[in-house]
Amino acid sequence: MGSQILMHVNFLYWLLLTLKCSFAATYSDLSNLSSNSTSHYKPDHHEADSSAQDERLYVFTVDYNYVQIPCEVTLWILLASLAKIGFRLYHRLPSLMPESCLLIAIGALVGAIIFGTDHKSPPVMTTNIYFLYLLPPIVLEEGYFMPTRPFFENFVSILWWSVLGSLLNAFGIGLSLYGICQIEAFGLTDVNLLQNLLFGSMISAVDPVAALVVLEEASVNEQLYMMIFGESLLNDGITVVLYNIFIAFTQMHRYEEIESVDVLAGFARFFVVGLGGVLFGIAFGFVSAFMTRFTQNISAIEPLLVFMFSYLSYLSAEILYISGILAMTACAVTMKKYVEENVSQNSYTTIKYFMKMLSSVSETLIFVFMGVSTVGRNHEWNWAFISFTLLFCSIWRVLSVFVLFYISNKFRTYPFTIKDQLIIAYSGLRGASSFSLAFLLPMHLFPRKNMFITATLVVIYFTVFIQGITIGPLVKYLDVKKTNKKESINEEIHMRMMDHLKAGIEDICGHWSHYQLRDKFKKFDNKYLKKILIRENQPKSSIVSLYKKMEIKQAIEMAESGIKSSAVSTVSFHYRNQRIHRLSPEEVESMRDMLAHSLYQVRQRTPSYNRHNLPTEKSEKQAKEILIRRQNSLRQSIRKGNSLPWGKPASTKNVRFLSLPYGTNHPARRKARHGASTGDSSSDMDSVSSIMFSPQLQAGSFGANRGQQEMVPMERFDRRGKLLDFAAQRGSLRKKDQAGRIRRSAFMPKPQFDAVFEEEIQGYESEAEEGAASRPTVKWAAEERNVRHFHKAPSPPFWRK
Amino acid sequence: MGSSSSVPAEVQELAAKTGFTLEQIEHLHRRFKHISGDQPTIRKESFDRIPDLEFNPIRSKIVRAFFDRRNLRQAQGGLADEINFEDFLTIMSYFRPMEMNMDEEQLDCFRKEKLKFLFHMYDADNDGKISLQEYRKVVEELLSRNPHLEKESARSIADGAMMEAASICVGQMEPDQVYEGITFEDFLKMWQGSDIDTKMHVRFLNMETIAHCH
């Protein structure tokens, strides 16, 4: 099956390629044609045609010139996308090699075609275009999807490692290569120290996205992941800063005239540029968050605000020659928290997907360019330089890892083991950034630019293909410590307890640690920032996701209306007493608050980064699936009639739902809706519990899905239906219809929430009422009022982070 | 306390008992004196001298933990009225980070100690298990800082958590089975896999003393 599709896809490839070839051929024809008529050439191609054709009106004309650049770019992107589709279709491939390999291969293919047809590739990659258009999306996406809590917990280590690591690598490689260049035999003596240093800084730009994907799949422990992630984030900025400094030096007087003053100025500049960038970014982040506070009536411009402000932060930083990359990263990180709470659900989705799309387009283009450059004439192969580059890259990386971590381990309470360090050293894959920097070297300053490009390409190919493919098996072989993925309410509670406990003990000890720092920041945040930056009419916790949760909870509860809490009350839940109170809107709201607040932290604990994929897709589907099955089970149990004892075993029909593939969402959903309106209470809790199994099964198979771990435990206690008692309420039939309808609207936003709600609902099932008729109405009112809010909540990312 | 040669024997003994280094004991002693106002013992009220602690939502539990006889290893329950420096150190020793030279057994023991400390914080009435009421109290306290939270909400979260715990610990339950509460074994089970070793420690205790404010 997969191979068939693969064949189809291959066919499409070849079709596209032939299209491109024909374009190329046509172009070369046209170039001949147009060269004849250059004197008459005007921007308007119609005119050019007619003037060249001797006053004859041709019915059919072709002008490729006009659309060449956009057309080719589009074709490249399409080709890469098709490649990605094909890549995923063949299941074994993604586990064998990282996606970057694929992109490079496609690039090389395109390059080969262009070279073969002797076609001049459009000048897509110039300094301006790269730094102004291609780089920002990638940086923005990295910054936006960064998991903030683990990042800041390990912030000092990350900073220490990225900054010093980059510097050490850059200077180390540069100086060693300079040493090599001094050797007469290699013919490299014209490459002076500055050029070598520049090359060193370029080549030390790591791009470990591929490694991150592998590590995430292997679910390595959080600290390790964060180190590599943080490095990738900061390394770009640092390398570009270094690069610019060195270029400035090169452009200065002759190299011999550089004095120590200049060197010091270089250092100072490094700090100014770095810190300035961060401050700039934070300022822009706040402004942008503030803006989104007022956009409730015009939610369509919210994504625009986000993107434009981030881009503006980048551009304004560049005006002042401070690091735009760091500015943009800081902006994204700052902005995200508040923006997420302000923007509508749809805007949030748009932002997320658009960001991913832009960054993936950029990356594709860069890789294609890399491929195009590979197969070209602008190479200079120098055995010595290239092989020593490769050698020094590896040596210096390993050296810097071990030295720097040896020192930082002394200060960390969680020291990195040798295994961890090995993995970190091995994940130093180079990527698009090194290549771009090499490609954009000004030729007049670097007469041996081609050699640099060749060397860079060799290093990239080596690291991406060889290291990228082998890092997976290496991780498995080393059996690196895994992360604990179990996320549950209990863990959440315990974690927070622990945090407060630690903060308390540290207060008692008089020690000031980063926990207190974080506490203080949180206090400041709550007191001032949130008031300014977050919308007024939001619940105080300003985490709108809760709304949705409670909404759906109520909706489903209403659908099941008449479900009673267990008389057994084995855990001594005194639900019945509280049931009546529960439903007033204020209480609902506060419940939301509380839940959001308590659950807020959960999302921050899960690093999940994948440039090529939105990491939550699976969990979304999962959530949807769970919800649908839940409805099905409801329907089932409803059909069975009233007051079935909750101890009834699951029917086979329900069990069968377990094996439903994801694709059956819609019919199931529709059925569920009907089911809700026809039946009475659900009594078969085991059917609900059967839902538990599936999340668990899938949770096991999706390594990176922490989102639904949360769901599983909650579902499970539903299984303890022993605690819950369900009785039918025929009177509420009518209400169910309405509930069904409301639920429909409830489903429109992210299903992720639905499932989460579902958990809550299940959890609160114990609190479910005897189904007094008045209850549904009250809930109803609350729901009506809040349905509007549904579409505003952004929260799915909460789980995904 | 000057050079090591003039270190009194009691300090050495304390160091041996609790596992702290001499500098750490020194620093903690200074801190103890500050809290107690130069008295030999601390009472619950003494903790009012620490202004930062006011903002901690579980302040009462933390303070109580200091006086809990179970933590002090004196008895099976009850609260002491006042504690001396040695008791203070005993409580603090629960927060020592794991040391690299510990073997598996020691680590396991250490881990259990820490978890027991936590457990005692939850289990106020000392019946060996965390009942729903106790759990609710804990959650309420945790969320007490948020002025917009109601007790109802905290209660429902606690209920949900309890159910989850029941499912994890007991697994499949019969219809009429009663889940009494989280026992210590269940508690251990819940914490299995998460690295309490890395979380429940105070970094300070591993480094040179940092100048404390005051």
Side-chain angles (χ1 to χ4, degrees):
Chain A
M1 168 82 174
S3 52
Q4 276 181 353
I5 300 179
L6 197 61
M7 271 166 37
H8 290 304
V9 174
N10 280 335
F11 172 69
L12 280 170
Y13 283 164
W14 292 117
L15 194 63
L16 256 177
L17 290 179
T18 44
L19 268 174
K20 285 180 61 94
C21 291
S22 57
F23 273 132
T26 328
Y27 177 67
S28 38
D29 283 343
L30 274 177
S31 60
N32 292 333
L33 199 59
S34 53
S35 60
N36 294 336
S37 54
T38 40
S39 52
H40 298 287
Y41 181 73
K42 288 197 185 87
D44 180 2
H45 67 284
H46 294 294
E47 281 207 30
D49 266 328
S50 54
S51 61
Q53 309 301 341
D54 255 346
E55 292 150 40
R56 282 261 168 269
L57 191 66
Y58 277 76
V59 177
F60 179 71
T61 52
V62 177
D63 183 358
Y64 184 60
N65 224 357
Y66 182 57
V67 295
Q68 185 200 359
I69 293 179
C71 187
E72 297 210 342
V73 170
T74 313
L75 279 174
W76 288 348
I77 297 173
L78 261 182
L79 190 62
S81 314
L82 281 178
K84 287 189 191 180
I85 297 176
F87 185 67
R88 295 264 149 64
L89 281 176
Y90 183 46
H91 309 290
R92 293 250 311 270
L93 259 187
S95 55
L96 279 180
M97 59 153 108
E99 205 169 289
S100 331
C101 293
L102 178 77
L103 286 176
I104 296 182
I106 291 288
L109 189 64
V110 171
I113 294 174
I114 291 182
F115 184 71
T117 59
D118 206 15
H119 173 86
K120 183 160 176 16
S121 67
V124 175
M125 183 92 135
T126 64
T127 319
N128 284 353
I129 294 184
Y130 175 70
F131 278 110
L132 291 181
Y133 302 113
L134 291 181
L135 185 60
I138 298 180
V139 172
L140 180 62
E141 191 250 351
E142 268 184 18
Y144 198 80
F145 289 103
M146 180 181 84
T148 39
R149 186 177 147 140
F151 182 76
F152 285 111
E153 273 182 3
N154 294 305
F155 188 60
V156 179
S157 305
I158 291 179
L159 210 61
W160 169 263
W161 160 234
S162 357
V163 175
L164 284 181
S166 315
L167 286 176
L168 202 60
N169 270 315
F171 281 99
I173 297 176
L175 289 170
S176 335
L177 278 176
Y178 179 61
I180 294 294
C181 287
Q182 297 305 93
I183 301 175
E184 297 275 341
F186 297 137
L188 296 166
T189 41
D190 57 329
V191 186
N192 60 26
L193 178 64
L194 208 52
Q195 292 182 349
N196 273 310
L197 284 177
L198 185 70
F199 182 71
S201 71
M202 260 169 18
I203 204 81
S204 64
V206 289
D207 186 15
V209 175
L212 282 174
V213 172
V214 171
L215 291 179
E216 190 177 342
E217 283 301 307
S219 48
V220 297
N221 64 68
E222 200 178 73
Q223 274 82 7
L224 178 61
Y225 187 89
M226 278 325 294
M227 289 308 288
I228 301 184
F229 184 90
E231 187 199 356
S232 85
L233 201 66
L234 297 176
N235 182 277
D236 274 344
I238 293 166
T239 336
V240 169
V241 167
L242 269 180
Y243 178 85
N244 283 326
I245 290 180
F246 282 129
I247 291 259
F249 269 133
T250 322
Q251 277 168 346
M252 261 171 51
H253 331 285
R254 282 192 322 251
Y255 141 77
E256 289 80 21
E257 289 176 22
I258 294 176
E259 301 168 16
S260 48
V261 175
D262 296 318
V263 175
L264 279 176
F267 268 119
R269 183 157 170 183
F270 181 78
F271 281 108
V272 165
V273 165
L275 289 175
V278 172
L279 289 173
F280 238 79
I282 293 180
F284 268 94
F286 281 134
V287 171
S288 140
F290 187 64
M291 288 290 134
T292 56
R293 183 177 164 188
F294 302 107
T295 57
Q296 52 261 54
N297 296 322
I298 178 171
S299 49
I301 66 165
E302 280 162 355
L304 200 65
L305 275 181
V306 168
F307 284 110
M308 290 302 124
F309 268 110
S310 324
Y311 195 40
L312 200 62
S313 73
Y314 180 81
L315 293 173
S316 10
E318 289 291 322
I319 294 175
L320 303 173
Y321 280 108
I322 34 185
S323 167
I325 296 178
L326 289 176
M328 199 173 213
T329 312
C331 179
V333 170
T334 321
M335 180 170 72
K336 175 170 181 188
K337 193 157 91 118
Y338 307 104
V339 159
E340 269 183 358
E341 297 174 14
N342 278 336
V343 299
S344 73
Q345 170 61 18
N346 288 330
S347 297
Y348 189 83
T349 316
T350 310
I351 292 175
K352 228 177 30 162
Y353 277 92
F354 199 61
M355 217 176 265
K356 288 278 181 189
M357 186 186 86
L358 280 179
S359 83
S360 126
V361 163
S362 281
E363 203 190 7
T364 308
L365 282 178
I366 295 178
F367 275 120
V368 164
F369 247 107
M370 200 156 78
V372 168
S373 305
T374 320
V375 188
R377 293 201 195 86
N378 51 346
H379 283 295
E380 185 192 328
W381 188 270
N382 181 308
W383 275 106
F385 191 76
I386 292 170
S387 42
F388 276 108
T389 306
L390 212 51
L391 189 67
F392 286 134
C393 282
S394 322
I395 292 180
W396 276 101
R397 178 140 181 112
V398 172
L399 208 63
S400 56
V401 163
F402 282 115
V403 167
L404 290 174
F405 277 99
Y406 178 72
I407 299 175
S408 94
N409 271 343
K410 292 196 191 296
F411 297 101
R412 284 182 60 93
T413 39
Y414 175 73
F416 283 106
T417 63
I418 299 289
K419 281 190 211 163
D420 290 339
Q421 291 174 25
L422 256 177
I423 297 283
I424 294 178
Y426 203 70
S427 60
L429 287 81
R430 268 62 173 181
S433 21
S434 326
F435 169 72
S436 324
L437 291 176
F439 194 78
L440 300 170
L441 283 172
M443 194 67 170
H444 61 277
L445 290 172
F446 295 89
R448 301 202 71 163
K449 171 179 166 177
N450 289 333
M451 185 176 70
F452 286 167
I453 293 182
T454 316
T456 314
L457 280 173
V458 169
V459 171
I460 293 178
Y461 273 77
F462 179 81
T463 54
V464 172
F465 280 94
I466 298 186
Q467 282 183 253
I469 294 180
T470 53
I471 193 170
L474 185 70
V475 169
K476 283 197 198 84
Y477 175 70
L478 286 182
D479 193 27
V480 176
K481 178 162 179 200
K482 301 269 162 81
T483 182
N484 169 42
K485 304 265 204 74
K486 187 175 50 139
E487 295 263 349
S488 59
I489 286 271
N490 272 307
E491 200 173 292
E492 184 57 35
I493 294 177
H494 295 321
M495 282 302 159
R496 299 193 66 179
M497 186 85 162
M498 186 74 72
D499 286 343
H500 290 304
L501 182 62
K502 278 182 75 164
I505 295 286
E506 278 165 357
D507 282 331
I508 295 176
C509 287
H511 172 66
W512 210 64
S513 79
H514 73 292
Y515 274 93
Q516 284 146 315
L517 193 60
R518 204 182 59 186
D519 259 356
K520 284 184 176 32
F521 175 72
K522 276 220 182 101
K523 262 181 256 162
F524 173 71
D525 189 33
N526 281 325
K527 211 163 149 199
Y528 301 110
L529 294 179
K530 284 203 171 153
K531 290 215 177 80
I532 301 174
L533 297 174
I534 294 180
R535 287 188 195 162
E536 293 282 345
N537 59 353
Q538 301 264 329
K540 302 303 178 181
S541 75
S542 59
I543 295 177
V544 188
S545 63
L546 246 223
Y547 273 162
K548 300 185 66 173
K549 285 181 193 148
M550 298 309 297
E551 309 270 282
I552 295 212
K553 170 200 150 125
Q554 291 180 55
I556 295 192
E557 230 176 311
M558 289 202 47
E560 307 165 26
S561 62
I563 293 168
K564 276 193 193 167
S565 155
S566 162
V568 178
S569 193
T570 55
V571 198
S572 63
F573 296 126
H574 303 295
Y575 293 114
R576 278 185 214 138
N577 305 337
Q578 294 136 22
R579 242 173 269 135
I580 313 297
H581 307 302
R582 184 69 41 116
L583 295 174
S584 67
E586 304 78 54
E587 279 176 295
V588 163
E589 202 166 312
S590 59
M591 217 184 304
R592 282 187 207 142
D593 277 50
M594 176 254 337
L595 280 172
H597 196 60
S598 78
L599 295 166
Y600 184 85
Q601 296 298 327
V602 178
R603 67 175 170 97
Q604 289 178 310
R605 211 163 276 134
T606 57
S608 172
Y609 176 75
N610 184 338
R611 184 180 287 171
H612 308 289
N613 260 334
L614 278 165
T616 49
E617 280 149 13
K618 291 170 189 161
S619 47
E620 279 173 43
K621 282 195 211 148
Q622 183 95 349
K624 219 187 260 188
E625 184 74 339
I626 293 171
L627 187 57
I628 285 149
R629 293 195 188 151
R630 171 100 175 82
Q631 294 152 32
N632 281 323
S633 74
L634 267 180
R635 181 172 56 90
Q636 292 297 320
S637 39
I638 284 167
R639 282 222 193 109
K640 289 199 186 89
N642 312 352
S643 44
L644 282 172
W646 31 252
K648 192 170 177 195
S651 67
T652 48
K653 232 193 225 175
N654 291 330
V655 172
R656 214 180 292 139
F657 282 132
L658 282 175
S659 53
L660 275 181
Y662 279 149
T664 57
N665 282 350
H666 299 296
R669 208 190 253 179
R670 257 176 258 127
K671 278 192 283 176
R673 255 183 260 139
H674 290 312
S677 50
T678 51
D680 289 312
S681 66
S682 141
S683 55
D684 195 334
M685 287 324 295
D686 278 346
S687 64
V688 172
S689 70
S690 66
I691 293 171
M692 165 190 75
F693 290 126
S694 68
Q696 229 173 0
L697 286 173
Q698 272 121 13
S701 56
F702 298 131
N705 280 327
R706 296 167 197 80
Q708 54 265 28
Q709 306 296 345
E710 166 87 5
M711 294 175 215
V712 175
M714 295 297 267
E715 299 252 15
R716 292 185 81 180
F717 57 71
D718 202 24
R719 183 169 209 192
R720 308 301 142 236
K722 336 309 174 189
L723 310 171
L724 309 168
D725 188 12
F726 297 89
Q729 288 280 327
R730 292 199 192 263
S732 42
L733 255 178
R734 279 158 285 129
K735 302 295 177 187
K736 289 221 181 80
D737 277 316
Q738 293 174 295
R741 244 179 288 126
I742 283 291
R743 257 203 290 172
R744 230 165 287 144
S745 63
F747 297 144
M748 269 149 38
K750 282 281 167 207
Q752 178 91 355
F753 289 110
D754 298 356
V756 177
F757 288 127
E758 187 183 335
E759 305 169 1
E760 307 305 330
I761 293 158
Q762 309 228 14
Y764 298 121
E765 218 107 35
S766 47
E767 301 146 12
E769 274 77 310
E770 332 267 346
S774 55
R775 235 183 108 254
T777 344
V778 174
K779 268 200 208 162
W780 205 235
E783 255 188 272
E784 296 277 17
R785 186 172 59 85
N786 292 312
V787 157
R788 194 174 61 84
H789 291 293
F790 247 117
H791 303 282
K792 284 192 187 174
S795 29
F798 288 177
W799 299 106
R800 290 178 203 126
K801 293 220 346 230
Chain B
M1 307 200 181
S3 57
S4 50
S5 56
S6 62
V7 170
E10 313 98 59
V11 180
Q12 302 260 13
E13 202 186 303
L14 278 176
K17 229 198 253 182
T18 54
F20 286 126
T21 68
L22 295 173
E23 296 101 15
Q24 291 169 343
I25 294 185
E26 231 178 288
H27 179 90
L28 286 170
H29 189 78
R30 258 180 271 140
R31 198 64 190 155
F32 181 82
K33 287 217 287 224
H34 170 78
I35 297 174
S36 70
D38 283 332
Q39 303 293 315
T41 59
I42 330 181
R43 298 176 162 277
K44 280 197 182 150
E45 302 75 49
S46 321
F47 283 98
D48 295 338
R49 279 178 221 252
I50 306 171
D52 286 330
L53 208 52
E54 287 305 309
F55 299 107
N56 202 310
I58 56 170
R59 180 185 183 279
S60 57
K61 280 220 179 314
I62 296 179
V63 171
R64 198 176 171 285
F66 271 85
F67 293 90
D68 194 334
R69 282 202 205 274
R70 293 172 292 176
N71 293 336
L72 298 170
R73 301 193 189 122
Q74 288 167 2
Q76 280 313 300
L79 286 179
D81 289 327
E82 48 188 22
I83 56 175
N84 58 22
F85 182 54
E86 187 179 329
D87 299 325
F88 185 73
L89 276 187
T90 312
I91 302 284
M92 285 301 181
S93 71
Y94 285 105
F95 291 92
R96 277 171 48 227
M98 302 300 212
E99 273 150 43
M100 304 308 282
N101 54 2
M102 282 186 180
D103 58 15
E104 263 312 307
E105 212 186 289
Q106 277 183 307
L107 275 177
D108 198 43
C109 192
F110 204 28
R111 196 169 182 271
K112 272 222 178 95
E113 295 271 325
K114 296 193 183 210
L115 285 172
K116 241 202 154 45
F117 185 85
L118 258 192
F119 189 76
H120 291 153
M121 284 186 78
Y122 287 101
D123 181 20
D125 61 2
N126 192 24
D127 55 357
K129 49 182 182 293
I130 307 174
S131 70
L132 181 66
Q133 289 303 330
E134 287 167 347
Y135 214 19
R136 278 182 184 168
K137 272 203 72 179
V138 168
V139 175
E140 270 171 36
E141 262 190 33
L142 265 183
L143 302 174
S144 59
R145 275 285 125 190
N146 190 329
H148 308 285
L149 257 38
E150 289 202 9
K151 275 197 165 184
E152 300 287 324
S153 338
R155 210 166 292 180
S156 29
I157 279 200
D159 296 344
M162 189 57 116
M163 294 224 228
E164 183 190 284
S167 63
I168 295 176
C169 308
V170 185
Q172 172 110 13
M173 284 195 354
E174 293 307 308
D176 46 4
Q177 202 179 349
V178 173
Y179 186 59
E180 300 288 343
I182 307 177
T183 63
F184 186 56
E185 285 70 37
D186 296 338
F187 195 68
L188 280 179
K189 234 192 273 183
M190 285 200 303
W191 273 98
Q192 216 168 38
S194 54
D195 3 306
I196 186 165
D197 343 19
T198 63
K199 301 230 161 57
M200 187 161 162
H201 59 261
V202 171
R203 194 181 282 225
F204 150 74
L205 294 175
N206 211 14
M207 287 170 63
E208 290 299 313
T209 58
I210 292 175
H212 52 85
C213 26
H214 304 296

